[in-house]
């Protein structure tokens, strides 16, 4: 009778073992599928972000080139306007000197802001 009692218990244990094994295999498979889907999602997000940053950089570069061109056109126009009253050489020197002076002031202001920032973040 002990043989008969052991036999019916053995299939239940194997069935329980098999279902746990199947469950763990399914869990592993689902985990890998989830990880793969998440990686694909993050790749897609990174691609969208990269494309957006690239497009923004190109547009900003074109805007800077146009701004530079506008400043050059303004300076040339200023030289041509001043040329009538003080002559071409003095007009050129006045515009270049004024531009260099404005550049120096802007650089000094930038330096002061950087120093102020350094003082603020220094412990």
């Amino acid at each position: 009778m002990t043989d008969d009692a052991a036999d019916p218990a053995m299939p239940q244990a194997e069935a329980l073992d098999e279902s746990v094994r199947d469950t763990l295999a399914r869990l592993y498979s689902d985990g890998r599928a989830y990880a793969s889907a998440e990686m694909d999602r993050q790749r897609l997000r990174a691609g969208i972000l990269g494309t957006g940053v690239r497009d923004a950089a190109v547009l900003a570069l074109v805007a800077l080139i146009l701004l530079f061109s506008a400043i050059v056109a303004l300076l040339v126009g200023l030289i041509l306007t001043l040329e009538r009253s003080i002559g071409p050489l003095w007009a050129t020197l006045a515009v270049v000197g004024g531009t260099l002076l404005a550049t120096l002031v802007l650089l000094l202001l930038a330096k002061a802001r950087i120093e102020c920032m350094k003082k603020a973040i220094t412990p």
Side-chain angles (χ1 to χ4, degrees), residues 73-85 91-92 95:
L74 176 69
L75 294 175
V76 169
L78 188 58
I79 290 172
L80 292 175
T81 303
L82 288 175
E83 178 184 28
R84 294 181 190 154
S85 60
T92 302
V95 170

Side-chain angles (χ1 to χ4, degrees), residues 5-44:
D7 285 339
M10 190 60 111
Q12 283 181 343
E14 287 177 11
L16 184 59
D17 259 355
E18 192 65 32
S19 73
V20 168
R21 189 176 299 130
D22 288 344
T23 301
L24 290 176
R26 190 174 61 235
L27 178 64
Y28 176 76
S29 173
D30 290 348
R32 285 185 59 89
Y34 176 77
S36 176
E38 187 65 23
M39 284 177 51
D40 290 343
R41 179 177 170 262
Q42 294 302 329
R43 279 189 196 119
L44 178 63

Side-chain angles (χ1 to χ4, degrees), residues 2 7 21 32 47 60-61 65 69 76 98 104 114 116-117 121:
T2 57
D7 285 339
R21 189 176 299 130
R32 285 185 59 89
L61 182 64
I65 290 170
S69 299
V76 169
L104 180 65
I114 290 171
C116 182
M117 179 186 64
I121 63 173

